[in-house]
Amino acid sequence: MEDRNHNLIRSTPFFKGLPEGSVEKATAHLVTRNHPANQVILLENDWGSSVYFILEGWVKIRTYNLEGKEVTLNILGKGEIFGEMAALDEVPRSTDVITLAPTIIGNMPAQDFVKLIYSEPMAGVRLAQLMGRRLRQVNRRLRLRESDSTSRVADTILFLADGQGKQTTEGVEIPNLPHRELSSLSGLARETVTRVLTKLEKKGLIRRDQDILRIPDLNALEKIIV
C-alpha cells in the first residue's frame, strides 16, 4: 500500500517533470493517511505546518459568511494540492477543509515543500500554474454571480470539470455531488439547483448516475451560459 501511495504522489501533476532526485528528497518525510467521509482535515486559523496532496477521494474548501452560513469555495479531488499558501506565508489558514468521500491524503512537512519551491525552478512554475488556474476560476465565478440560475449551475459544473473532470469516451465525468454542495458553490437555493439539474438532464446536456455526473459535450453546456 505504501508503494502504491508513493507512486500516486509521484504521478500528481505538481511533481510531473521534476527531477527524480528532487521528488525523492521532497517526499522523504511525507506521510499518507486515510480519512472517512465528512471528516475535518483542517480548521480555519490552524497554522500551516503541512502541505496536503489528495491521492484518492474528494474534499471541499469551506468558510462561513457574516451570518454564519457555510460557503463552499472549492471542491478538490485526486491529484490536487491544498494548504500551500499557509505554508508559504507562514500564517494561519483562512478556510476549513472537510472530506466528501473516503479520502487518502499525503501530508508533506511545510519546510520540505518550501525547500522544493526554492531549490527547483519547475516546482515554482507548477505552483504558479496552480495559482493562475484557481484565480481564473474565481474571476469567472464572480463575473457570473448576477447571471440566471441555469447559467450559474452550468458554470459550476464546468468549474468542477475544469478542476476535476476526467475525459472518457462518453464525455467528461465529475463526481455527482450532493445538491447542497452545488447549492453552496453556485450561491443558489438547493431546490433551484435540483430544478436546473433536471432541466439540463432532459436537454441531454448532462447525464447522472449514482456517483458520476457526465457531460457529453462541454461546448454545448458552455453555450447556454448567458
Side-chain angles (χ1 to χ4, degrees), residues 208-226:
R208 289 182 287 174
D209 296 327
Q210 184 173 358
D211 299 318
I212 297 296
L213 187 152
R214 190 172 293 107
I215 310 156
D217 187 340
L218 289 176
N219 290 330
L221 187 60
E222 180 91 41
K223 286 178 181 177
I224 71 169
I225 297 176
V226 295

Side-chain angles (χ1 to χ4, degrees), residues 129-196:
Q129 291 171 335
L130 172 67
M131 294 298 100
R133 179 164 65 83
R134 289 182 179 172
L135 182 59
R136 287 194 303 273
Q137 291 173 334
V138 170
N139 286 341
R140 174 171 175 161
R141 292 174 67 196
L142 288 174
R143 289 198 305 271
L144 286 166
R145 62 183 176 180
E146 301 302 327
S147 297
D148 62 86
S149 58
T150 299
S151 294
R152 289 166 69 177
V153 173
D155 182 68
T156 299
I157 294 171
L158 290 169
F159 165 76
L160 293 171
D162 178 52
Q164 301 302 326
K166 178 182 177 182
Q167 185 66 55
T168 71
T169 56
E170 299 181 54
V172 176
E173 294 181 350
I174 62 173
N176 189 19
L177 295 172
H179 293 186
R180 66 177 179 273
E181 303 299 345
L182 295 177
S183 168
S184 187
L185 274 170
S186 63
L188 297 166
R190 184 165 56 180
E191 295 78 8
T192 301
V193 169
T194 300
R195 185 169 62 250
V196 172

